[in-house]
Amino acid sequence: MKPLIDAFTNLIARIRGLNYIDEATLKEVLREIQRILLRADVSADVVSSITKTIEERFRQERPPEGVTSKEFLVYLLYQELVKALGGEGAPSVDITKRPYKLMLIGVEGSGKTTTAAKLARFYIRRNLRVGLIETDVYRPGAYYQLKQLAEKVNALFYGEENSRDPLSILRHGLEYMQRNKVDLVIIDTAGRHRNEEELLKEARAIYDEAKPDEVMLVIDATIGRQAAAQTEAFMRYVPINSVFLTKMDSTAKAGGALTSVIKSGARIKFIGVGEDVDEIEVFDANKFVSRLLGMGDLEALIEKIRAVEEEREIMEEIEEGKLNLLTIKKQLDSMMKLGPLSKIMELLPTSMLPIQYRAIMTDEERMSNAQEMLRRWRHILDSMTKEELLNPEIINASRIRRIAKGAGVTPKDVKELLNYYQLMKRMINQIKKSRRRLGRLIGE
């Protein structure tokens, strides 16, 4: 997905750098949008519809007061991409009854088993008791894989290692979950079979036996626009209530997969953005498009940070603009727990970052150096007094030398951290202004 984000981020930066938008410039921008979307495997008819609507609206509608034509063009691109991805509003992820039975289906290699664990972790964090049932009797290792993942996420597990009867396993598993008063039962099914017809028939048999409250189709996003055909094939045998798109982080065809599934009439509910069980997001077209256009996705970042204990205060401080080094210290602790810096940087508003910081994001070696720099900063913050953390302005040259000595770093390292703090303050002010402006646009 990164090439798609980079392409749109560069396009937005280019639009913002224009002096004005004349006929020739508009045509050029629209052609670039088409090239980006076609490279993302979006079908030609969807691409044509998006750019044609943008062109018509740009010519016919007047920008709201205080909004430049450049900003209005970016906004139209945002709106039409949101519309192509299913419209505004995130899907409901609430469990409406107990026990709630969720059946996962999909072909081999789509990532169903890992998806089952991701969903379990997601709902366990919402204080639900979750159980996993493995009915795949064809793929070697399916039983052990889900059993280990269940242990990792603290979910109940049921499977029968030596059984060759998925329906029998299912019946015993549902009884086991009922006895253990599980709130959510996730049923993993086979993806490998002798042929496609047999796979689909077995999915129907399990559906009839389980009588699930929801059937979720798991699709590998790397197949691009072919996702529509896969969705429609399963729809002929079982009703598809929702779709989980996996491997969104590792494909340039994410746009094709998203738009084709939505065009088929299915609703995308979750996306997988990495291999770890924590790397799952509720699909929200607004947030997704914001990230594509380099506007950032602060809400997704906030959700991840709030999953870490004692992080509510951090976000309140940042959102209110009450930023000090104690906030930075708590933020760094959270970032270390959230994983690689590159994952977090994808969620930040890259188009608003200074050029030297954007360059870091495209260079793996520099990203690794940045990760090491964060560790140094953490030691520096440990070397500060509470007064210095709360009032960074009092840190003078003599305090810098003392802090550096206590942290085992150079005074230059301490100054880098203080410069980052000042940059964060400016960025937060810019983000708040941008949110207000976007809010006015959406409210029009």
Side-chain angles (χ1 to χ4, degrees):
M1 197 166 69
K2 192 174 183 300
L4 187 58
I5 293 173
D6 289 343
F8 271 122
T9 299
N10 292 334
L11 175 63
I12 299 304
R14 185 174 151 208
I15 292 172
R16 287 175 173 163
L18 295 171
N19 293 322
Y20 58 90
I21 299 178
D22 58 16
E23 187 70 23
T25 306
L26 176 61
K27 290 286 188 185
E28 188 180 342
V29 168
L30 292 171
R31 279 196 296 271
E32 183 58 25
I33 292 170
Q34 290 173 343
R35 282 193 287 268
I36 292 171
L37 293 174
L38 288 170
R39 281 198 296 267
D41 205 36
V42 179
S43 63
D45 59 331
V46 173
V47 172
S48 175
S49 175
I50 289 171
T51 51
K52 183 179 178 181
T53 305
I54 291 172
E55 182 176 13
E56 289 175 353
R57 291 187 62 189
F58 187 77
R59 294 181 194 282
Q60 296 170 8
E61 300 177 22
R62 295 188 61 180
E65 189 175 345
V67 176
T68 67
S69 59
K70 294 183 294 184
E71 291 171 327
F72 189 53
L73 181 56
V74 171
Y75 172 65
L76 292 178
L77 173 59
Y78 167 84
Q79 275 204 325
E80 292 309 314
L81 287 176
V82 168
K83 192 185 298 180
L85 294 177
E88 298 186 6
S92 172
V93 295
D94 294 334
I95 297 304
T96 54
K97 57 173 281 196
R98 284 168 173 73
Y100 188 90
K101 290 177 285 188
L102 173 61
M103 175 180 168
L104 300 182
I105 59 174
V107 300
E108 183 184 17
S110 60
K112 274 196 316 304
T113 304
T114 303
T115 295
K118 288 184 176 187
L119 290 166
R121 172 62 66 88
F122 177 85
Y123 281 105
I124 286 169
R125 284 184 165 169
R126 295 168 76 94
N127 300 315
L128 294 180
R129 186 170 171 78
V130 180
L132 298 168
I133 300 176
E134 180 56 81
T135 67
D136 185 352
V137 298
Y138 303 97
R139 181 170 67 87
Y143 169 88
Y144 288 107
Q145 183 188 1
L146 190 60
K147 188 174 188 291
Q148 290 171 357
L149 287 170
E151 290 171 0
K152 182 176 181 178
V153 301
N154 295 317
L156 272 73
F157 171 78
Y158 186 87
E160 296 176 12
E161 182 183 359
N162 299 314
S163 174
R164 306 300 294 172
D165 185 347
L167 294 181
S168 174
I169 296 171
L170 175 64
R171 282 191 290 270
H172 296 158
L174 291 174
E175 290 168 2
Y176 174 76
M177 298 303 170
Q178 185 76 34
R179 287 196 304 272
N180 284 276
K181 295 180 167 48
V182 166
D183 298 312
L184 170 64
V185 181
I186 299 174
I187 304 163
D188 187 27
T189 61
R192 173 191 296 188
H193 223 300
R194 290 180 293 277
N195 57 61
E196 184 182 279
E197 188 74 14
E198 290 298 318
L199 170 65
L200 294 170
K201 285 180 178 178
E202 182 172 295
R204 180 70 206 191
I206 291 175
Y207 173 82
D208 290 338
E209 181 68 35
K211 298 180 175 55
D213 300 289
E214 180 178 347
V215 177
M216 182 177 290
L217 175 61
V218 181
I219 296 180
D220 179 348
T222 62
I223 67 174
R225 74 179 82 169
Q226 294 176 35
Q230 203 172 103
T231 305
E232 288 162 2
F234 276 99
M235 277 180 165
R236 287 196 292 271
Y237 283 80
V238 292
I240 305 298
N241 305 110
S242 59
V243 172
F244 190 123
L245 274 177
T246 64
K247 306 176 189 176
M248 286 289 289
D249 59 314
S250 59
T251 178
K253 296 183 176 182
L258 287 164
T259 53
S260 67
V261 170
I262 290 159
K263 196 177 176 186
S264 75
R267 181 74 189 267
I268 298 172
K269 197 168 189 178
F270 292 97
I271 56 175
V273 291
E275 293 182 4
D276 193 77
V277 291
D278 291 310
E279 292 176 312
I280 173 177
E281 292 179 12
V282 178
F283 179 71
D284 184 317
N286 291 289
K287 295 197 302 185
F288 187 82
V289 173
S290 290
R291 191 184 305 175
L292 279 187
L293 300 186
M295 296 175 181
D297 187 353
L298 295 180
E299 287 183 34
L301 182 60
I302 288 171
E303 286 175 281
K304 282 178 175 283
I305 291 177
R306 280 183 174 165
V308 180
E309 282 187 324
E310 299 175 352
E311 284 305 316
R312 194 177 300 275
E313 291 178 13
I314 296 177
M315 299 321 302
E316 288 175 356
E317 289 170 6
I318 291 176
E319 288 171 354
E320 292 172 9
K322 297 175 183 176
L323 186 68
N324 54 44
L325 287 174
L326 184 60
T327 311
I328 299 292
K329 183 180 179 182
K330 289 186 286 187
Q331 186 186 40
L332 287 180
D333 285 341
S334 297
M335 289 173 73
M336 297 297 183
K337 295 174 186 175
L338 287 171
L341 181 61
S342 57
K343 288 278 181 194
I344 299 160
M345 290 293 281
E346 284 182 9
L347 299 174
L348 295 175
T350 55
S351 60
M352 297 173 67
L353 285 172
I355 292 173
Q356 65 269 31
Y357 283 85
R358 285 187 225 167
I360 292 174
M361 295 180 63
T362 59
D363 189 318
E364 288 185 14
E365 183 178 350
R366 294 174 72 184
M367 186 68 79
S368 176
N369 291 338
Q371 186 88 32
E372 183 57 39
M373 178 186 68
L374 292 184
R375 293 192 183 94
R376 288 199 303 273
W377 286 0
R378 186 62 184 77
H379 294 314
I380 291 168
L381 291 164
D382 275 340
S383 188
M384 292 182 182
T385 66
K386 188 171 183 179
E387 184 183 15
E388 289 164 345
L389 291 171
L390 292 173
N391 302 292
E393 287 71 20
I394 69 171
I395 300 176
N396 54 25
S398 63
R399 286 177 183 261
I400 287 175
R401 287 193 294 273
R402 190 208 82 241
I403 293 165
K405 186 176 180 182
V409 298
T410 67
K412 182 183 176 184
D413 292 324
V414 180
K415 289 175 184 176
E416 280 185 355
L417 171 58
L418 295 174
N419 289 336
Y420 169 77
Y421 162 69
Q422 294 297 337
L423 174 65
M424 281 290 289
K425 284 182 71 174
R426 289 196 297 272
M427 279 183 60
I428 287 166
N429 288 333
Q430 288 177 337
I431 290 167
K432 288 171 76 175
K433 288 177 184 176
S434 294
R435 277 182 165 181
R436 285 197 294 270
R437 176 166 286 180
L438 184 58
R440 288 200 301 271
L441 279 169
I442 293 172
E444 286 293 320

